[in-house]
Amino acid sequence: MKIQGIFSVVMAVRNGGATLTRALDSLMSQTCGDWECLIQDGMSDDNTEELLAARQDKRLKVAREADSGVYDAWNKALGRLSPESCWVMFLGADDALADPYVLARASHELVRLPEDVMFAQAGLNVGRDGKKRECISRSRAEVFQRLVWGMPLLTPAVFFRTSLFRQANFDSTYRIAGDFAFVAERLAPANFAVLPFVASYMELGGLSSSLRTRSLLQAERRRVLAECVLPRAAEIVQACIETLDETADPMASVR
């Protein structure tokens, strides 16, 4: 079975020349070529522009303009989605797809999901300097329990159905927790699935894991809890009840 449409990989970059090659190489090496990469360059003044210009591939779609932060950049990129787009991924310029078979595996798995599944989460490798330190995966039970105290999904390893972004964008007033807010307003047992493979590698040390931004992250988490989670409190508790026994590690069969 083949996925109907293409994968859209959204990448916000600002002076990402030191790591961008790894991210782009991980895309170019995919055995499934049905993808586009929407790169939003926030006026980099390092060698980012030159690196992108050197890549002669029509699937790389680069826009260069100022933005107010990562979620504003993502929104700008989402405005350029191909009509054929079916699933969206968000990678940082220092992230990468985990291996050359990620999109092929995703195509095989995602086509089997019901149309009301909007979020599909795979495993995530994390590390330093491109070297894996650990693999993170979460059961359905853990995902919904995490809604009350932190980001439940592993954003670089999540496939978001494109139709989500035909209706809504990220709140660009957030600097760090905009993806948490987006998910907290929408995630439910019926629209969420887990996938049995590792999708991405994430470099540690970004905004969400930096000591320099910890106080801002905590403030933004409090805002998400108050504005997005609290109004859905009964619904989220019900989701925790529904998924309480769904503790199976989706990566257990491939570890």
Side-chain angles (χ1 to χ4, degrees), residues 149-166:
W149 57 275
M151 177 60 177
L153 301 186
L154 306 163
T155 299
V158 176
F159 294 85
F160 297 78
R161 198 179 287 273
T162 302
S163 56
L164 280 166
F165 306 110
R166 307 295 189 199

Side-chain angles (χ1 to χ4, degrees), residues 30-192:
Q30 291 299 301
T31 59
C32 170
D34 297 329
W35 56 265
E36 65 177 354
C37 183
L38 304 167
I39 299 174
Q40 198 70 30
D41 178 13
M43 304 303 291
S44 296
D45 54 17
D46 64 351
N47 64 335
T48 294
E49 188 175 11
E50 290 75 17
L51 283 174
L52 293 171
R55 299 274 180 162
Q56 300 298 312
D57 193 309
K58 293 186 296 184
R59 295 172 297 179
L60 294 179
K61 302 174 181 180
V62 182
R64 181 174 161 84
E65 58 183 310
D67 58 66
S68 63
V70 64
Y71 301 111
D72 184 37
W74 284 2
N75 288 339
K76 291 177 186 294
L78 289 167
R80 301 188 284 117
L81 286 171
S82 164
E84 289 76 41
S85 175
C86 54
W87 294 91
V88 181
M89 296 184 77
F90 297 91
L91 293 182
D94 53 355
D95 300 334
L97 296 179
D99 62 53
Y101 310 104
V102 168
L103 297 185
R105 291 190 192 101
S107 181
H108 178 75
E109 296 288 343
L110 294 170
V111 75
R112 301 168 183 269
L113 297 179
E115 289 189 4
D116 55 357
V117 171
M118 298 287 117
F119 308 89
Q121 179 171 273
L124 177 67
N125 289 336
V126 297
R128 294 276 188 182
D129 301 320
K131 297 177 181 178
K132 171 187 167 183
R133 289 190 176 182
E134 66 173 319
C135 175
I136 304 173
S137 64
R138 291 175 183 164
S139 68
R140 282 170 55 85
E142 184 180 2
V143 163
F144 289 99
Q145 291 162 13
R146 279 180 172 267
L147 264 172
V148 299
W149 57 275
M151 177 60 177
L153 301 186
L154 306 163
T155 299
V158 176
F159 294 85
F160 297 78
R161 198 179 287 273
T162 302
S163 56
L164 280 166
F165 306 110
R166 307 295 189 199
Q167 307 162 13
N169 281 333
F170 293 95
D171 185 339
S172 60
T173 62
Y174 288 96
R175 278 195 59 208
I176 304 174
D179 47 346
F180 180 19
F182 186 89
V183 168
E185 290 182 327
R186 296 168 176 84
L187 192 69
N191 67 21
F192 173 67

